[in-house]
Structure formats: structure tokens, C-alpha cells
Amino acid sequence: MARRISIRYTGFRECPNCRGRGDDGAAWRPRVCRRCRGRGRLVTDVEVVDSVEGKLPRDRYDFNARGEVFLLGFDEDEEIEVIRPEDPWD
């Protein structure tokens, strides 16, 4: 049976690059903000729950502002199923 890792995004902040608009602000050439990818918010806190160990302490994972989570200290050959919300920004 594969180990299950559940990811929950618990903290957000307004993107300083686009000031929460999600675009570059130019009406004549609207482009998606590069930093938040059009969402207007960045991730500031994540909760990771392992099916074996329970809630993981902060030193067992890392994440970036786009919501990508990186597990630390896990065996690379181990099969892990990752469960994350479809759209954490809703």
C-alpha cells in the first residue's frame, strides 16, 4: 500500500508583484502575473499530513510561494500518493 501525503494550504498573502490583480496591469496587453500565475495570492503556510506519521513537523518539508511542496528526508524509491486540493486558492 502506498503512503499517502495530504497537503493543505493554510496561509495566503496578496502578490506584491501584481498587487492582487493577477495580471501585469497594462490594459492594452494584459498578461498573467509571472509570480502568482494569475491567482493574485501567494502561499505562506502549508500543512502536510502523512498517513504513517501524522502531521509532519515543518522541518520535514519545504514549500514555495506557488504552492509546490518538497518532502525532505523521505526515501526516493518509496511509493507516495500525494493528495492536494484541486484549486487551493478558492
Side-chain angles (χ1 to χ4, degrees):
M1 182 174 184
R3 192 175 197 168
R4 286 186 165 174
I5 302 289
S6 298
I7 299 172
R8 201 172 121 232
Y9 302 96
T10 57
F12 299 93
R13 70 179 172 111
E14 184 180 274
C15 176
N17 193 46
C18 67
R19 295 188 184 118
R21 290 185 314 270
D23 60 21
D24 65 0
W28 57 276
R29 79 172 158 85
R31 291 192 180 171
V32 175
C33 175
R34 290 182 189 176
R35 187 161 186 191
C36 68
R37 294 188 178 170
R39 294 184 177 101
R41 296 187 302 168
L42 300 173
V43 176
T44 60
D45 198 17
V46 175
E47 183 179 279
V48 179
V49 179
D50 183 2
S51 63
V52 175
E53 298 179 30
K55 185 176 175 183
L56 295 179
R58 182 64 179 87
D59 63 347
R60 298 287 312 273
Y61 63 92
D62 197 10
F63 68 96
N64 62 22
R66 290 186 181 152
E68 298 168 332
V69 176
F70 308 95
L71 300 174
L72 306 174
F74 281 81
D75 186 14
E76 290 182 18
D77 297 329
E78 186 175 5
E79 187 176 332
I80 298 176
E81 179 184 356
V82 178
I83 301 168
R84 64 173 54 102
E86 258 184 57
D87 192 5
W89 286 265
D90 283 342

